[in-house]
Amino acid sequence: MKQAISAYKVVLRDIVETDIDTLRQWRNQDDIRSQMLDQQMITVEQQQAWFKGLAQRDTQQHFALEYKGQLVGYANIKSPGQLPLTQTGQTLETGLYLGAPKYRGTFLAFCVALALTDYCFNQLEAKQLVATVLPSNQAALNFNQQLGYVIVKQDKTQVLMQLALADYEAC
């Protein structure tokens, strides 16, 4: 088990088996799923297979999000180039969602994003971060821009945003 990240009053920790059904249910909710690039419904079997494969992936890291000791959401880091996350100086892609309804639309998403971003730049020594967002997801576009992300490419299906350390620190 990797060490949990504790910052900004949130904890990003390894996903455990007791988390996976709640995460799947949240992920399958229309309001969350409709904002994902992959909008398919996740079955129990798919979720279990995904969970069993987590330990073997050195190109990804997945987190259960806790606030005040309660599971509230999910976050991940991926290496778009399929290099191990620990290979420093590369570009990493991040993503997150808050599943617990009472925390959606609150400051908590920023707390998670700040903890995740700090970890990527400071511990994983990422060169830059990217986020891929649906053009219709104005909330995510605004959210990322408030963190310092800039749009580098856009088409009808997705918006690619990029964050350099200097832009993050300036924001």
Side-chain angles (χ1 to χ4, degrees):
M1 183 177 250
K2 296 174 185 87
Q3 185 174 355
I5 301 163
S6 183
Y8 305 100
K9 302 205 181 263
V10 296
V11 176
L12 287 70
R13 61 163 174 80
D14 283 346
I15 296 170
V16 295
E17 192 162 4
T18 55
D19 298 328
I20 65 173
D21 195 53
T22 300
L23 293 176
R24 183 185 66 79
Q25 289 176 28
W26 285 339
R27 165 60 177 75
N28 282 343
Q29 290 178 354
D30 288 342
D31 59 334
I32 292 175
R33 186 174 44 81
S34 66
Q35 302 306 320
M36 302 283 181
L37 294 178
D38 178 358
Q39 297 182 4
Q40 74 171 337
M41 296 287 284
I42 307 298
T43 67
V44 170
E45 296 78 19
Q46 288 171 319
Q47 187 80 346
Q48 288 172 344
W50 169 80
F51 175 73
K52 288 178 183 172
L54 288 181
Q56 288 77 40
R57 296 185 186 117
D58 64 354
T59 61
Q60 303 175 20
Q61 194 169 357
H62 301 267
F63 302 96
L65 308 177
E66 284 188 357
Y67 178 64
K68 296 183 177 181
Q70 178 185 6
L71 180 66
V72 296
Y74 164 84
N76 68 61
I77 306 167
K78 296 179 182 178
S79 170
Q82 299 305 309
L83 296 172
L85 290 179
T86 55
Q87 185 164 334
T88 60
Q90 67 172 317
T91 298
L92 299 176
E93 184 168 8
T94 62
L96 69 94
Y97 67 81
L98 293 178
K102 74 179 188 177
Y103 294 116
R104 292 189 201 156
T106 69
F107 73 97
L108 200 58
F110 278 104
C111 295
V112 172
L114 292 172
L116 192 64
T117 302
D118 287 351
Y119 174 71
C120 288
F121 281 129
N122 300 330
Q123 301 300 312
L124 298 177
E125 300 179 26
K127 176 181 70 175
Q128 66 185 1
L129 302 183
V130 294
T132 307
V133 180
L134 295 176
S136 61
N137 191 348
Q138 194 60 51
L141 293 168
N142 293 341
F143 176 83
N144 286 335
Q145 287 174 323
Q146 288 178 319
L147 291 169
Y149 281 84
V150 294
I151 295 172
V152 293
K153 184 178 175 184
Q154 182 171 358
D155 61 30
K156 292 180 181 180
T157 61
Q158 58 189 19
V159 178
L160 179 65
M161 304 182 83
Q162 185 174 301
L163 178 64
L165 178 59
D167 293 333
Y168 174 60
E169 289 173 339
C171 284

